[in-house]
Amino acid sequence: MRPTCSSASAQTAAPAAHARSETVTPTKKTTIVFDTYGGNSGPAEIVRAAARLSRQGVAQIALVGEVAWLQDQLGLLPYDPMTLRLVPAPVAFPRRAGDTRAQADAAEIALPLAMEMLREGEADVLVTASPPELVRELANRHLGRLPGCAALAAAAVVPTMPRPGQDEPLGLLLDERNSVTYPDGFEE
């Protein structure tokens, strides 16, 4: 008999005289942290996307931002509070639409909180719509680089053609040009 995730104790696959114990380790859900300060249309779109993702139950979601504002927005949306949590950032959202300077200033304070979650293993993925230059600068400062990597690789989620079994046709585009330096004698 194969163990199930709901087992309180290990089950065996053989009679007691020849029993071997099998323990089941629950699979940890991926944790996605969203920087809510980036984006052209402000944090509202980011919050809507995170709320929708929380209802799908495929990942733990963390929203970094102004908690009171985030709570107000989430109060208008269906979301799963068991999979979505708020991480306070000590800066208010820019109140004027299109105030990109205020947005970048706020992101410079909030984005390192999200990066810290990555570095410490509290998150597996960081989603941000902050300016790429700012993301690179802060990532170099707060995350560092792997040995042998000359620069950070950039990634973007892009729309794709519809695929069988996929509700939302999205793909990950990874641009790693100039990001790796090879040791002498190594051939690509």
Side-chain angles (χ1 to χ4, degrees):
M1 177 179 358
R2 298 207 56 88
T4 63
C5 290
S6 61
S7 300
S9 62
Q11 297 179 1
T12 58
H18 301 26
R20 63 183 170 92
S21 118
E22 292 182 38
T23 56
V24 176
T25 305
T27 304
K28 178 187 170 276
K29 281 187 181 178
T30 299
T31 298
I32 303 171
V33 60
F34 286 85
D35 159 30
T36 59
Y37 289 90
N40 294 333
S41 58
E45 287 296 320
I46 297 165
V47 173
R48 277 194 287 279
R52 182 175 178 199
L53 187 58
S54 78
R55 292 191 320 273
Q56 294 174 355
V58 296
Q60 293 295 119
I61 309 298
L63 291 172
V64 176
E66 182 184 346
V67 170
W69 190 92
L70 292 171
Q71 287 172 329
D72 288 347
Q73 292 301 301
L74 288 169
L76 305 171
L77 302 168
Y79 74 98
D80 182 354
M82 298 301 290
T83 60
L84 189 148
R85 70 182 173 112
L86 305 180
V87 178
V91 61
F93 287 118
R95 297 301 188 226
R96 288 179 297 153
D99 190 347
T100 55
R101 182 68 247 159
Q103 223 173 342
D105 289 346
E108 280 191 61
I109 295 168
L111 195 50
L113 296 173
M115 289 181 179
E116 176 77 15
M117 292 176 71
L118 276 179
R119 188 175 71 234
E120 297 300 319
E122 295 176 50
D124 305 297
V125 177
L126 168 59
V127 177
T128 182
S130 290
E133 309 78 40
L134 176 63
V135 174
R136 277 193 299 275
E137 175 191 333
L138 292 173
N140 276 322
R141 193 178 327 149
H142 296 281
L143 297 175
R145 285 183 256 151
L146 295 172
C149 291
L152 296 170
V157 175
V158 295
T160 64
M161 296 300 293
R163 296 173 285 187
Q166 298 288 327
D167 291 338
E168 295 185 37
L170 299 174
L172 179 67
L173 174 65
L174 179 62
D175 176 6
E176 57 80 36
R177 95 188 99 106
N178 302 321
S179 66
V180 178
T181 55
Y182 297 98
D184 291 338
F186 184 87
E187 293 187 30
E188 294 183 50

